[in-house]
Amino acid sequence: MGAGVVVTTSKSPSDAVCAEARRLADAWGLPVVDRNRRSVATARGDAATALVCTAEGWVAESARGRLTFHQGTAAKRLRALRHGDTDPLIRAGELRPGDRVLDATLGLGRDALIAAWAVGPDGAVLGVEADLVLAVLATEGFAGAIPRPGSAPVQVRHGDSRQVLAGLAARGEHVDVVLLDPMFTDPRASDHGFALARDHTVGTPLTPEWVALARAVARRWVVVTAERKRPWFPDAGLVRLEGTRSGRWFRAEPCPQDTVSAGKSV
């Protein structure tokens, strides 16, 4: 998780790499460990994970492996979209240019990339990630060349999305679509870096209360990704999106409250 994280550099860092490591450490309140040409494992010491600044970007490294921020499985989905195909996320949320989307389980940012492409430069995507390491990697990744021009900016917030949703609802603020995909409670081992990403995932189970908070904030749809239908899904308003091969896409309409249509946009 976030505890036991240090910042270090590549083995022979330039002045620019050292300065970048200090910048990130200061921004996130993390300790910096001088590499001194040692292995990452030695420099990491008792810390579970080291965030390593290199000339090519940031790498999270632990005894379980290495993890970088990259498009991963979203790259194939984006290629299909550019060739005129659709995507179940876009279908489920009925995403359109200019939409405001909240990804409540950002993780490695795959769905956020699809949403950013769908809503375009006039839209916005807010991704909330509970784990510190994943939040750092996503923040740095989305600040770079990902997503590509023509997509919405993706803002990353480190925290508990249930608290974020509750705060938005209390202030009468809304987004068009909320995404919920606590993916590492239902492992999909095909993605690169899965083991380390799983280590850095806060395993919050999907609950009716979480869905209800999302429904209080969404104007159009709450989109849930789950490997199986839970018994409580119908009572929570969740119905399966038909016409997908995987059958793991579900969605719920907003709570039937006047404030959903009258509230402010985030």
Side-chain angles (χ1 to χ4, degrees):
M1 304 292 184
V5 179
V6 299
V7 175
T8 190
T9 64
S10 49
K11 185 173 289 187
S12 300
S14 65
D15 291 344
V17 167
C18 291
E20 174 66 6
R22 289 192 295 270
R23 177 200 65 80
L24 184 134
D26 290 344
W28 293 89
L30 296 171
V32 179
V33 177
D34 291 333
R35 182 77 174 270
N36 294 328
R37 301 187 63 83
R38 299 175 294 171
S39 69
V40 172
T42 301
R44 192 176 71 240
D46 294 333
T49 304
L51 288 164
V52 185
C53 185
T54 74
E56 291 74 35
W58 284 95
V59 180
E61 187 166 334
S62 77
R64 297 267 282 171
R66 294 160 54 90
L67 182 66
T68 60
F69 184 83
H70 56 91
Q71 293 187 49
T73 54
K76 181 178 179 180
R77 296 165 66 186
L78 288 169
R79 283 196 298 270
L81 286 168
R82 288 193 289 268
H83 284 88
D85 292 339
T86 188
D87 187 275
L89 173 63
I90 296 175
R91 284 186 53 216
E94 298 179 8
L95 294 180
R96 60 197 70 162
D99 276 350
R100 268 53 182 167
V101 177
L102 193 159
D103 186 341
T105 48
L106 180 65
L108 298 173
R110 310 299 192 242
D111 286 341
L113 284 168
I114 303 302
W117 184 91
V119 305
D122 293 330
V125 178
L126 170 63
V128 184
E129 175 51 48
D131 179 77
L132 176 61
V133 169
L134 296 183
V136 170
L137 290 178
T139 298
E140 296 303 311
F142 282 122
I146 299 175
R148 295 180 177 179
S151 294
V154 178
Q155 177 188 356
V156 179
R157 184 179 302 180
H158 175 228
D160 187 331
S161 67
R162 294 167 298 181
Q163 296 178 3
V164 173
L165 289 166
L168 292 174
R171 295 190 299 272
E173 298 178 356
H174 301 279
V175 297
D176 296 295
V177 176
V178 177
L179 310 179
L180 280 171
D181 179 11
M183 61 177 291
F184 292 111
T185 60
D186 289 319
R188 299 165 210 157
S190 60
D191 207 354
H192 175 70
F194 175 82
L196 183 54
R198 182 181 177 88
D199 290 347
H200 280 285
T201 295
V202 178
T204 304
L206 186 67
T207 63
E209 293 77 17
W210 202 357
V211 174
L213 284 171
R215 293 181 69 196
V217 170
R219 291 185 185 277
R220 187 180 308 133
W221 290 108
V222 174
V223 178
V224 172
T225 312
E227 289 299 318
R228 65 188 188 281
K229 180 180 178 181
R230 272 68 162 181
W232 52 265
F233 274 17
D235 290 339
L238 286 166
V239 297
R240 192 186 303 273
L241 179 68
E242 300 298 332
T244 62
R245 287 179 293 178
S246 67
R248 62 185 181 88
W249 295 90
F250 301 83
R251 63 183 185 178
E253 293 181 316
C255 291
Q257 299 174 357
D258 292 340
T259 54
V260 172
S261 59
K264 300 173 288 183
S265 293
V266 175

